[in-house]
């Protein structure tokens, strides 16, 4: 079904706002058994004659809501529609539609029988004009004025309908049909050999906790996951065939994850010793070419304090200060990704 909008003529003061294309095509009556397919997320089903007549009609903009639309209408709780498709199954037969042109201005509408009328129907609606709302305030009240763009969409709108029977008359059959179309259009391509995906793990090392001794309050550090336990986790993941483990270990110095601002780095003994930390790093490196790694996570301010403030206190020559500035700039870009990497051997660019 093709509609050449460039050939539509408007007259008088009225303007075309939307076009409901074949709104009741293939509709099912009150005796229909089946469902309607709508592109909510990866695809959802609305069963025919389900009795939910108090619910709102399903209306979803293809590819998501228009960010320029400032209307105050309450949105439905739904996922974005990622595919310009819809369909209906009734008994042993079904039909499936693909919006081939004008999908960028299209919405999918679906409604069950018994709410507005006795028919279950699903169709595409095309918004020929953009819309907005203007609020005008007076001393006593506020007035809303609906605005429409002067020029409408002038391209074609086109929807292709497919008819399915027997075993293909199902949402699986609709999915296979659309998949085959995308393959023929060279949109979907077979996956080639790919590198194994990384597996990200966040590990909480230590936390600070309020405690008391003889009614005297104090703060202590409580181990949640020790280096040894993290090593066991890494070993079990490798045994189950999970490689490329990217482990971020948080709360390892300065009194746990909510650490104080330090002047030096001292490992929290509650989570283990330096040798156990090195054993954890070595365990992850056993994956070889699969590149498992461990990050010791901290914050940007902590890193600046640890690496630069002690040296600045002792005083630096002008040349050293310039080198320090050139060091801070790449460090800021490095840490802004959210994770700081602390190496057992200090990188050469931090030595001065």
């Amino acid at each position: 079904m093709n509609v050449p909008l460039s050939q539509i003529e408007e007259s008088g003061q009225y303007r075309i706002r939307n076009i409901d294309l074949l709104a009741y095509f293939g509709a099912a009556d009150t005796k229909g058994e089946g469902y309607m397919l709508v592109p909510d997320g990866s695809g959802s089903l609305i069963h025919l004659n389900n009795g939910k007549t108090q619910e709102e009609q399903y209306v979803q903009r293809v590819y998501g809501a228009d960010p320029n639309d400032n209307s105050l209408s309450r949105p439905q709780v739904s996922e974005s529609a990622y595919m310009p498709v819809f369909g209906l199954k009734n008994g042993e037969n079904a039909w499936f539609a693909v919006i081939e042109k004008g999908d960028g201005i299209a919405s999918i509408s679906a409604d069950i029988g018994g709410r507005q009328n006795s028919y279950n129907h699903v169709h595409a609606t095309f918004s020929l004009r953009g819309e907005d709302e203007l609020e005008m305030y007076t001393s006593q009240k506020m007035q809303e004025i609906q605005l429409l763009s002067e020029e409408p969409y002038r391209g074609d709108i086109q929807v292709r309908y497919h008819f399915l029977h027997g075993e293909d008359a199902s949402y699986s059959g609709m999915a296979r049909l659309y998949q085959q179309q995308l393959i023929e259009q060279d949109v979907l391509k077979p996956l080639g050999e790919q590198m194994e995906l990384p597996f990200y793990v966040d590990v909480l090392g230590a936390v600070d906790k309020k405690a008391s001794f003889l009614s005297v309050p104090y703060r202590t550090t409580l181990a949640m996951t020790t280096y040894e336990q993290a090593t066991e986790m890494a070993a079990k993941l490798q045994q189950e065939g999970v490689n490329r483990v990217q482990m971020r270990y948080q709360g390892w110095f300065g009194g746990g994850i909510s650490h104080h601002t330090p002047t030096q780095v001292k490992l929290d003994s509650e989570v283990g010793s330096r040798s156990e930390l090195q054993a954890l790093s070595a365990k992850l490196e056993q994956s070889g070419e699969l590149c498992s790694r461990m990050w010791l996570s901290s914050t940007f301010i902590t890193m600046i304090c640890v690496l630069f403030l002690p040296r600045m206190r002792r005083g630096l020559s002008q040349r050293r200060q310039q080198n320090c500035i050139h060091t801070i700039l790449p460090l800021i870009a490095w840490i802004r990704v959210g994770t700081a990497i602390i190496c057992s051997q200090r990188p050469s660019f931090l030595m001065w």
Side-chain angles (χ1 to χ4, degrees):
M1 179 65 182
N2 181 277
V3 180
L5 299 181
S6 59
Q7 300 181 22
I8 294 180
E9 297 183 1
E10 298 173 317
S11 61
Q13 60 178 342
Y14 299 104
R15 297 290 181 266
I16 299 177
R17 175 183 173 186
N18 299 322
I19 291 181
D20 292 343
L21 190 62
L22 300 179
Y24 290 92
F25 176 83
D29 58 19
T30 55
K31 297 180 181 180
E33 296 182 357
Y35 47 78
M36 294 175 284
L37 173 70
V38 293
D40 189 74
S42 59
S44 300
L45 303 178
I46 301 175
H47 291 274
L48 306 180
N49 303 308
N50 57 31
K52 298 181 180 180
T53 56
Q54 301 300 319
E55 302 295 332
E56 296 180 359
Q57 177 185 7
Y58 175 86
V59 179
Q60 182 73 347
R61 182 76 179 257
V62 177
Y63 309 132
D66 184 356
N68 294 317
D69 184 4
N70 296 320
S71 62
L72 302 178
S73 59
R74 183 171 65 88
Q76 293 177 328
V77 179
S78 58
E79 299 290 336
S80 294
Y82 299 108
M83 298 171 289
V85 299
F86 57 96
L88 187 147
K89 171 183 170 60
N90 185 8
E92 298 297 322
N93 302 305
W95 58 266
F96 178 67
V98 181
I99 304 175
E100 296 183 341
K101 295 181 180 179
D103 48 329
I105 61 170
S107 299
I108 306 300
S109 302
D111 203 0
I112 61 172
R115 207 180 71 85
Q116 293 182 343
N117 50 56
S118 59
Y119 292 101
N120 303 266
H121 61 283
V122 56
H123 65 280
T125 298
F126 297 88
S127 300
L128 272 59
R129 283 183 162 86
E131 60 181 282
D132 203 347
E133 290 183 355
L134 175 65
E135 297 180 352
M136 299 188 66
Y137 293 88
T138 63
S139 58
Q140 297 181 350
K141 63 179 181 179
M142 183 268 291
Q143 183 180 5
E144 294 181 357
I145 300 177
Q146 188 176 53
L147 304 177
L148 297 176
S149 58
E150 182 65 25
E151 287 297 321
Y153 175 73
R154 291 296 185 183
D156 289 0
I157 58 176
Q158 179 171 301
V159 180
R160 187 177 300 275
Y161 294 85
H162 305 267
F163 300 95
L164 305 172
H165 309 281
E167 295 182 355
D168 291 333
S170 64
Y171 63 85
S172 298
M174 299 177 190
R176 287 192 297 269
L177 176 62
Y178 189 51
Q179 179 190 49
Q180 187 60 35
Q181 285 189 6
L182 295 179
I183 293 175
E184 293 174 355
Q185 296 169 5
D186 205 28
V187 176
L188 283 182
K189 299 179 180 180
L191 292 176
E193 185 177 352
Q194 294 182 331
M195 183 180 293
E196 188 174 355
L197 294 176
F199 184 80
Y200 292 92
V201 181
D202 277 353
V203 178
L204 177 57
V207 297
D208 62 327
K209 179 184 178 182
K210 292 181 179 180
S212 63
F213 179 73
L214 298 177
S215 300
V216 178
Y218 68 96
R219 304 193 71 87
T220 184
T221 303
L222 177 65
M224 304 299 293
T225 308
T226 64
Y227 300 138
E228 184 177 359
Q229 292 171 333
T231 304
E232 294 176 359
M233 292 168 55
K236 290 181 179 179
L237 288 172
Q238 292 177 3
Q239 291 174 3
E240 297 296 330
V242 180
N243 298 307
R244 296 196 68 196
V245 177
Q246 311 294 307
M247 180 179 291
R248 183 174 66 165
Y249 195 96
Q250 305 179 81
W252 53 278
F253 84 105
I257 188 171
S258 301
H259 55 74
H260 54 76
T261 302
T263 57
Q264 61 180 353
V265 175
K266 182 180 179 181
L267 299 178
D268 289 334
S269 59
E270 290 80 4
V271 293
S273 62
R274 181 181 294 271
S275 61
E276 291 174 336
L277 175 59
Q278 293 172 345
L280 172 58
S281 178
K283 183 63 179 178
L284 290 171
E285 291 175 356
Q286 287 180 2
S287 298
E289 296 182 357
L290 294 178
C291 298
S292 291
R293 295 188 179 92
M294 180 185 66
W295 286 266
L296 296 179
S297 179
S298 184
T299 61
F300 171 75
I301 296 178
T302 298
M303 292 300 299
I304 294 299
C305 292
V306 170
L307 297 175
F308 299 107
L309 288 186
R311 291 176 173 79
M312 290 182 178
R313 263 199 227 102
R314 292 196 297 268
L316 298 173
S317 64
Q318 185 175 1
R319 178 174 175 275
R320 298 290 191 183
Q321 292 176 10
Q322 292 177 352
N323 291 339
C324 181
I325 293 174
H326 289 299
T327 302
I328 291 177
L329 292 179
L331 184 63
I332 292 175
W334 182 39
I335 296 176
R336 283 189 63 184
V337 300
T339 300
I341 303 174
I342 310 298
C343 303
S344 57
Q345 294 183 352
R346 187 170 51 181
S348 59
F349 71 83
L350 292 181
M351 296 181 181
W352 63 82

